[in-house]
Amino acid sequence: MKTFPTSDPAIPSPEPGILPLELIGAGLIRDGKRVLKDLNCRIEDGAGGQIADRPAKTFIIGPNGAGKTLFLKLCHGLIQPDEGEVRWHGPAANDGARIKQRQAMVFQRPVLLRRTAWENINFVLKIRGVARAERADRCADLLQQTGLGRHASTQARALSFGEQQRLALARALALDPEILFLDEPTASLDPASAHLVEDLIDQAVASGMKIVMSSHDLGQAKRLADEVIFIHRGRIKERAAAPTFCNRPENDLARDFLEGKLLWWRRRSVYEDGEEQCC
Amino acid sequence: MEAFLDAFAAALGLIASGDRDLIRIILLSLKVSLSAVCIAALIGIPLGGLIALSRFPGRQALIVMFNALMGLPPVVVGLMVYVVLSRSGPFGVLNLLFTPTAMIIAQVILVLPIIVSLTRQTLHSLWLEYRETLQSVAATPAQCLAAVLWDGRFMLITAVLVGFGRAIAEVGAVMIVGGNIDNVTRVMTTAIALEASKGDLALALGLGFILLMISMALNIIAHGLTAFGEPESRS
Ligand SMILES: Nc1ncnc2c1ncn2[C@@H]1O[C@H](COP(=O)(O)OP(=O)(O)OP(=O)(O)O)[C@@H](O)[C@H]1O
Ligand SMILES: [Mg+2]
């Protein structure tokens, strides 16, 4: 699946990477409210899931409105922090264009181009400068892998929502990124499709990709995650290895969330952590 | 009533027989208006795209200006072009007044704001939708513009057709800068005005009928394109 632009495919050139990524006191202000607060964390490259304490799949977990989507977009560079910094540290991190090209993201509500499924994938391959002959093969492969083989010539917007989400994943994988951000990629998928997507994620990890994904599905987190970052009201409340988090979370909020007791109507009274107004 | 019916029959006769004057006038109309629309589209579509996708100081002012210019009265445009091209005007030496070129210039000025504004509206809403996705895949500004132009192409063609409709139906500007000279600058609208005032209803009605057909055809095509450009969508 991975392709390297070397003359001899047997000796892939070690491409200089952009990871690790570090958030330093990063915060975000929207409508005069701090929606992300004082985020400090370092996201290492996953080493293909080969090294025990190098998590290849980082899950972002938290209730609705916690800030998961904003966190992912902040990391991906789609929004700039109002406070603090988002910094890449890898050997290629001084190359701005490269930083952008080595990441990909699948949005919670994917936006597909008004073209066929095939053309949606072809479009990003073209942007990455993949040769025409190779593009056709890659498009066909990716559609096959995401179970959309028979929809190659269907208008992307006529696809069902779950199919659109898988097409968006195929498009992101086509970019062959070093780090892939996924915003609830299986939220509207049926069990079989969710399973297919989880397999694709594992394949991507095996090929060396780092995955950072948000999810509501605790079962999925148990199955898939290497580590979990728990976010609540724009703050990182806990970061732990997945088994530790799922079995004995240290944080009270996380425990309540896992037990399905983190209720929105109790948030204010019970979990009040001082609503920070600013501006 | 009988006179009217006679005139109508004569008009149909002119059309059916392919009257030389009639054909010449129609062809000149098409030549002038198509040229004007092509030039306006070549300038207006990229300009509208630029205004839709980028931010620069004065952008809002430009948007307001082009919106306002959409309603320019043709006579006023004609008058302005007349002044500029007349012998004592700044471009008088070019000797363009009362030529088809002058009429094309006037119609470009009339049509350009329409194409710029409609292009900007279309591409801006598409851009709002695509922006994050295109940024996420690290598309360059040129690739972003190409993507929205391509995906909005049916709506852009509609914008061009609207512009053409305005150009072909307009009488004030071509009358002033063209002068309605027989065989040289007489187009459908100016001919209709003249013939009607002379009382020769046959030619006027014949041309009017053709003009009506053209504008109806434009509307049908525009409608079809809009429907075609918005395929079934679930989002
Ligand atoms: N542009 C904005 N203006 C005002 N508030 C915003 C804006 N964008 C996000 N927010 C707020 O920031 C908070 C976090 O939003 P975010 O979309 O990251 O939540 P989430 O964790 O992804 O939730 P979900 O699980 O529902 O997807 C929400 O309370 C939201 O209302
Ligand atoms: Mg979200």
Side-chain angles (χ1 to χ4, degrees):
Chain A
M1 204 182 106
K2 260 189 102 94
T3 49
F4 297 94
T6 43
S7 48
D8 183 357
I11 319 163
S13 64
E15 289 184 51
I18 53 170
L19 282 166
L21 165 69
E22 191 180 17
L23 303 191
I24 309 155
L28 211 60
I29 297 165
R30 288 287 180 274
D31 280 353
K33 284 208 189 77
R34 284 200 161 78
V35 285
L36 288 180
K37 300 159 205 168
D38 194 29
L39 302 175
N40 291 291
C41 66
R42 199 176 159 93
I43 294 174
E44 300 280 347
D45 105 71
Q50 298 301 308
I51 302 176
D53 56 354
R54 282 271 208 96
K57 286 166 287 183
T58 299
F59 266 55
I60 313 296
I61 295 232
N64 287 135
K68 302 182 293 296
T69 297
L70 291 176
F71 177 87
L72 292 173
K73 286 184 179 172
L74 186 72
C75 292
H76 186 32
L78 286 179
I79 42 185
Q80 301 306 316
D82 295 307
E83 302 163 333
E85 255 189 278
V86 176
R87 199 187 284 170
W88 296 87
H89 289 292
N94 48 6
D95 180 348
R98 191 142 184 83
I99 288 178
K100 284 186 184 160
Q101 286 167 5
R102 299 299 294 147
Q103 319 174 37
M105 177 161 178
V106 175
F107 296 100
Q108 196 165 6
R109 264 175 266 152
V111 175
L112 298 165
L113 304 182
R114 300 173 182 213
R115 307 179 186 190
T116 63
W118 194 90
E119 284 166 336
N120 263 275
I121 298 178
N122 189 49
F123 174 77
V124 296
L125 290 174
K126 220 154 125 186
I127 280 185
R128 283 294 184 278
V130 178
R132 179 186 287 269
E134 195 185 331
R135 289 207 298 264
D137 290 347
R138 298 273 308 270
C139 288
D141 277 356
L142 284 159
L143 286 171
Q144 209 62 50
Q145 283 169 16
T146 46
L148 295 169
R150 68 197 177 86
H151 285 305
S153 56
T154 308
Q155 282 293 321
R157 280 148 178 268
L159 293 172
S160 80
F161 194 66
E163 288 164 344
Q164 291 195 14
Q165 208 153 18
R166 279 183 278 145
L167 179 56
L169 178 64
R171 190 172 63 180
L173 290 173
L175 295 168
D176 193 16
E178 183 179 333
I179 177 167
L180 176 58
F181 299 99
L182 302 171
D183 200 353
E184 305 192 21
T186 58
S188 58
L189 298 185
D190 62 45
S193 303
H195 192 77
L196 183 137
V197 166
E198 289 180 11
D199 278 353
L200 283 173
I201 291 173
D202 277 334
Q203 277 174 35
V205 165
S207 77
M209 215 178 280
K210 165 82 184 185
I211 306 284
V212 179
M213 65 184 277
S214 71
S215 178
H216 278 132
D217 185 343
L218 295 169
Q220 183 179 58
K222 277 182 196 158
R223 272 197 307 281
L224 229 53
D226 294 326
E227 66 161 348
V228 171
I229 295 178
F230 177 72
I231 298 189
H232 183 251
R233 292 181 143 211
R235 282 181 192 281
I236 296 179
K237 289 290 183 186
E238 182 166 353
R239 180 177 189 175
T244 317
F245 179 84
C246 294
N247 297 326
R248 324 170 253 105
E250 282 177 13
N251 191 280
D252 292 349
L253 292 161
R255 195 175 309 129
D256 282 4
F257 178 73
L258 288 177
E259 291 169 7
K261 289 196 300 195
L262 189 62
L263 301 173
W264 62 265
W265 60 85
R266 286 179 57 201
R267 270 192 223 162
R268 187 160 287 275
S269 50
V270 180
Y271 305 110
E272 193 61 66
D273 54 359
E275 183 74 341
E276 283 175 61
Q277 297 280 341
C278 68
C279 314
Chain B
M1 190 63 198
E2 204 166 307
F4 173 77
L5 283 180
D6 284 349
F8 200 73
L12 290 182
L14 281 178
I15 296 172
S17 67
D19 180 77
R20 286 225 353 249
D21 282 344
L22 187 88
I23 299 292
R24 211 180 45 233
I25 292 172
I26 293 171
L27 286 181
L28 182 65
S29 271
L30 290 177
K31 185 185 131 188
V32 167
S33 295
L34 283 175
S35 309
V37 163
C38 286
I39 295 168
L42 284 179
I43 305 170
I45 290 178
L47 186 58
L50 204 70
I51 300 175
L53 266 61
S54 59
R55 286 182 192 186
F56 50 89
R59 177 175 170 272
Q60 284 302 330
L62 214 57
I63 293 174
V64 172
M65 188 189 84
F66 275 114
N67 274 338
L69 290 182
M70 280 211 285
L72 267 183
V75 217
V76 175
V77 172
L79 191 62
M80 286 178 341
V81 175
Y82 182 93
V83 169
V84 172
L85 293 184
S86 65
R87 235 166 243 298
S88 53
F91 294 103
V93 285
L94 297 178
N95 255 330
L96 286 177
L97 207 56
F98 306 130
T99 65
T101 308
M103 297 155 78
I104 293 174
I105 293 172
Q107 291 200 340
V108 168
I109 296 173
L110 273 175
V111 170
L112 188 64
I114 296 181
I115 294 185
V116 171
S117 292
L118 293 182
T119 300
R120 184 196 62 78
Q121 277 167 27
T122 298
L123 297 189
H124 186 66
S125 55
L126 209 52
W127 174 236
L128 288 182
E129 195 184 317
Y130 281 6
R131 179 164 54 196
E132 266 193 339
T133 301
L134 291 174
Q135 279 174 355
S136 169
V137 301
T140 63
Q143 287 165 337
C144 290
L145 184 61
V148 293
L149 280 174
W150 180 250
D151 286 12
R153 63 195 179 282
F154 295 114
M155 288 174 285
L156 293 185
I157 294 173
T158 306
V160 171
L161 289 180
V162 171
F164 181 69
R166 175 151 157 107
I168 195 99
E170 167 281 318
V171 54
V174 281
M175 182 75 95
I176 296 182
V177 301
N180 196 20
I181 304 166
D182 195 12
N183 240 331
V184 183
T185 58
R186 183 163 300 169
V187 291
M188 283 196 271
T189 51
T190 53
I192 291 173
L194 177 73
E195 300 302 327
S197 69
K198 284 197 318 200
D200 178 2
L201 286 185
L203 187 58
L205 275 176
L207 287 168
F209 186 72
I210 303 271
L211 202 51
L212 210 61
M213 290 294 114
I214 291 176
S215 84
M216 261 162 68
L218 287 179
N219 269 300
I220 291 168
I221 297 172
H223 181 81
L225 283 174
T226 317
F228 196 65
E230 290 282 336
E232 188 190 354
S233 161
R234 295 191 186 233
S235 43

